[in-house]
């Protein structure tokens, strides 16, 4: 009966069908986005639908800077962080509007030579029976080349990560860990069957999928760079802005940070849920940015803070640092600290400010060399010819 009702609703105009659905799945006809203009280039790349931290759109903008390549980014909007994309689809439209799903499918099949799937998520909601793998088969039957792009939690194996790090969040047994495990197992099985090239946005994921290729994260350096000096205050201002506190290890480091704050050693500030447009100002006012202490890699947060000339502290695996240095011939300028050593590192910074001011100056140059999009475009281009 439910399938019959769903089939009937899918044939109705959006302005009627959207209102007939259960409240949590409703949408308005005005919520349905228009398709973006199709690039006129010989190679036309469609990237979506995750756009985590705006990366799908940043890769699209990076690759279209190369001759003969155009790109369109698409995101299923989750939260309100204001990341740009060429096509932004509200979640209820993505999952409930058959008319939008069919239009999106026709748009991609008719107009693009390559599709980059982010986080092993389907592009057309639940339109195609069989989900991601069925979508890929249909794209390939139309001559469209497919590349898979993993961002982190969609591919990172909890079992492997537990073996790598005593601070791994996956030592814990809780509903979040179980959800991640289920998603990763499903995604890894699909990747194994799809036999498509795999790109990963952080080098630690090469341990999860050894045949993958690292594609550096992309930021706009000029948006973050500033002239504000650091470590001039009597109490260095320490900022922590976790997108996922459980993954970042916020609760593990916060007792130390709170104590140092109360003792007058540092000025600690934690923020969450801040739109991206406000983050440059927050970094400009900080001396030190604490990234993550449980995963062993560095994310967009670290790259942005490096671009802003801030000291960045995180727990980064040795093999991640080695891979970055081998790939780009530059040392990753993120200061190493674990949950056990973060206090020691902060005290060392307070005791030798001149040394760490020079360390912070390495950040903007590193970002311009590795994370401004040029290197990422070269990596992705290698899969487009």
């Amino acid at each position: 009966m439910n399938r019959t009702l769903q089939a009937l609703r899918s044939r109705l105009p959006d302005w009627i069908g959207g209102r007939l659905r259960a409240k949590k799945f409703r949408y308005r006809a005005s919520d349905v986005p228009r398709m973006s203009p199709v690039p006129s280039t010989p190679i036309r790349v469609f990237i979506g639908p995750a756009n985590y931290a705006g990366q799908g759109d940043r890769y699209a903008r990076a690759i279209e800077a190369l001759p003969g390549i155009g790109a369109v980014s698409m995101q299923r909007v989750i939260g309100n962080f204001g990341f740009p994309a060429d096509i932004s689809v509200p979640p209820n439209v993505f999952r409930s509007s058959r008319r939008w799903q069919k239009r999106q499918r026709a748009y991609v099949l008719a107009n693009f030579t390559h599709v980059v799937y982010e986080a092993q998520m389907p592009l057309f909601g639940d339109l195609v029976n069989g989900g991601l793998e069925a979508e890929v088969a249909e794209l390939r039957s139309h001559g469209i080349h497919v590349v898979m792009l993993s961002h982190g939690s969609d591919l990172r194996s909890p079992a492997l990560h537990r073996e790598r790090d005593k601070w791994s969040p996956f030592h814990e047994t809780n509903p979040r860990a179980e959800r991640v495990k289920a998603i990763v197992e499903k995604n890894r099985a699909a990747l194994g069957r799809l036999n498509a090239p795999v790109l990963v946005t952080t080098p630690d994921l090469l341990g999860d999928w050894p045949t993958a290729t690292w594609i550096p994260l992309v930021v706009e350096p000029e948006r973050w760079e500033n002239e504000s000096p650091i470590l001039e205050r009597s109490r260095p201002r320490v900022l922590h802005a976790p997108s996922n506190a459980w993954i970042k290890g916020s609760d593990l480091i916060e007792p130390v940070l709170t104590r140092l704050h109360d003792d007058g050693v540092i000025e600690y500030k934690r923020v969450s849920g801040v739109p991206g447009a406000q983050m440059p100002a927050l970094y400009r006012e900080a001396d030190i940015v604490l990234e993550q202490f449980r995963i062993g890699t560095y994310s967009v947060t670290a790259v942005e803070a490096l671009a802003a000339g801030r000291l960045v502290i995180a727990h980064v695996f040795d093999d991640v640092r080695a891979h970055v240095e081998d790939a780009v011939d530059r040392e990753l300028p993120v200061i190493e600290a674990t949950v056990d050593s973060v206090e020691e590192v902060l005290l060392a910074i307070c005791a030798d400010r001149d040394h760490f001011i020079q360390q912070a100056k390495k950040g903007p140059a590193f970002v311009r060399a590795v994370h401004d999009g040029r290197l990422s475009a070269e990596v992705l281009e290698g899969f487009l010819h």
Side-chain angles (χ1 to χ4, degrees):
M1 185 63 177
N2 288 338
R3 290 185 178 181
T4 302
L5 287 174
Q6 184 177 7
L8 290 172
R9 287 170 181 156
S10 68
R11 295 187 177 94
L12 294 171
D14 275 346
W15 69 273
I16 297 177
R19 292 181 180 181
L20 291 178
R21 293 183 177 274
K23 186 175 182 179
K24 65 178 180 178
F25 298 136
R26 288 178 187 169
Y27 58 91
R28 298 165 298 181
S30 59
D31 294 333
V32 180
R34 295 181 178 181
M35 296 295 105
S36 182
V38 178
S40 59
T41 50
I43 295 176
R44 299 173 301 282
V45 184
F46 190 86
I47 302 177
N51 200 36
Y52 294 144
Q55 287 304 291
D57 188 69
R58 296 272 25 108
Y59 289 132
R61 303 292 76 83
I63 197 68
E64 68 183 5
L66 298 177
I69 301 176
V72 170
S73 66
M74 171 259 176
Q75 65 180 341
R76 176 186 177 183
V77 180
I78 299 177
N80 187 31
F81 292 97
F83 296 121
D86 295 314
I87 303 172
S88 295
V89 187
N92 287 355
V93 172
F94 183 88
R95 68 182 302 173
S96 300
S97 173
R98 275 289 186 262
R99 291 179 181 274
W100 173 82
Q101 292 169 352
K102 291 176 181 178
R103 192 169 67 191
Q104 164 101 332
R105 176 193 191 185
Y107 168 77
V108 173
L109 290 176
N111 295 304
F112 292 89
T113 59
H114 296 75
V115 166
V116 178
Y117 275 96
E118 294 183 275
Q120 292 79 57
M121 295 169 61
L123 291 173
F124 314 138
D126 61 356
L127 176 66
V128 180
N129 290 331
L132 171 69
E133 293 179 67
E135 278 191 15
V136 170
E138 184 174 31
L139 293 177
R140 285 171 167 168
S141 72
H142 283 73
I144 298 173
H145 301 279
V146 171
V147 177
M148 311 306 293
L149 173 63
S150 287
H151 290 277
S153 293
D154 56 284
L155 180 62
R156 187 178 292 112
S157 165
L160 292 176
H161 200 267
R162 282 196 301 271
E163 295 176 3
R164 297 191 72 182
D165 197 347
K166 64 179 285 189
W167 298 113
S168 171
F170 304 115
H171 287 296
E172 301 176 9
T173 301
N174 56 48
R176 292 173 298 188
E178 291 303 313
R179 283 196 300 271
V180 171
K181 178 183 176 182
I183 291 170
V184 168
E185 289 179 350
K186 178 182 177 181
N187 288 344
R188 290 171 65 88
L191 285 180
R193 292 188 293 264
L194 286 171
N195 192 30
V198 177
L199 302 176
V200 292
T201 58
T202 57
D204 66 299
L205 294 173
L206 297 171
D208 293 274
W209 206 262
T211 58
T213 300
W214 175 47
I215 180 168
L217 298 160
V218 177
V219 302
E220 299 173 88
E222 60 277 4
R223 182 179 174 222
W224 301 94
E225 290 178 357
N226 66 83
E227 301 299 324
S228 299
I230 68 166
L231 298 180
E232 291 189 342
R233 304 174 182 88
S234 59
R235 298 170 61 186
R237 187 169 293 164
V238 179
L239 178 69
H240 183 45
S243 56
N244 185 328
W246 172 61
I247 289 291
K248 301 289 187 179
S250 304
D251 294 344
L252 299 180
I253 62 171
E254 202 137 53
V256 168
L257 302 173
T258 301
R259 176 165 49 78
L260 292 177
H261 175 93
D262 292 342
D263 290 345
V265 178
I266 64 172
E267 180 184 337
Y268 173 60
K269 182 177 183 178
R270 173 175 169 176
V271 299
S272 61
V274 177
Q278 298 178 22
M279 291 307 299
L282 286 174
Y283 288 147
R284 188 163 53 247
E285 296 169 357
D287 297 296
I288 300 167
V289 175
L290 303 177
E291 215 268 290
Q292 60 73 35
F293 297 86
R294 304 195 79 173
I295 292 299
T297 193
Y298 70 107
S299 70
V300 174
T301 296
V303 178
E304 292 169 346
L306 289 172
R310 308 302 96 176
L311 278 174
V312 178
I313 302 177
H315 170 41
V316 181
F317 292 143
D318 290 341
D319 63 305
V320 171
R321 293 182 183 274
H323 185 86
V324 171
E325 187 167 352
D326 290 344
V328 302
D329 197 27
R330 284 176 178 265
E331 182 180 329
L332 175 66
V334 173
I335 299 169
E336 174 64 25
T338 66
V339 173
D340 287 332
S341 65
V342 65
E343 179 176 8
E344 177 185 348
V345 170
L346 287 170
L347 293 176
I349 293 172
C350 293
D352 192 356
R353 299 188 181 214
D354 289 342
H355 169 76
F356 286 99
I357 288 171
Q358 296 305 312
Q359 174 73 7
K361 290 180 178 179
K362 299 176 183 178
F366 176 84
V367 173
R368 285 197 172 273
V370 182
H371 294 286
D372 72 348
R374 291 173 296 170
L375 178 57
S376 303
E378 290 177 12
V379 171
L380 185 50
E381 184 186 23
F383 295 91
L384 302 181
H385 292 291

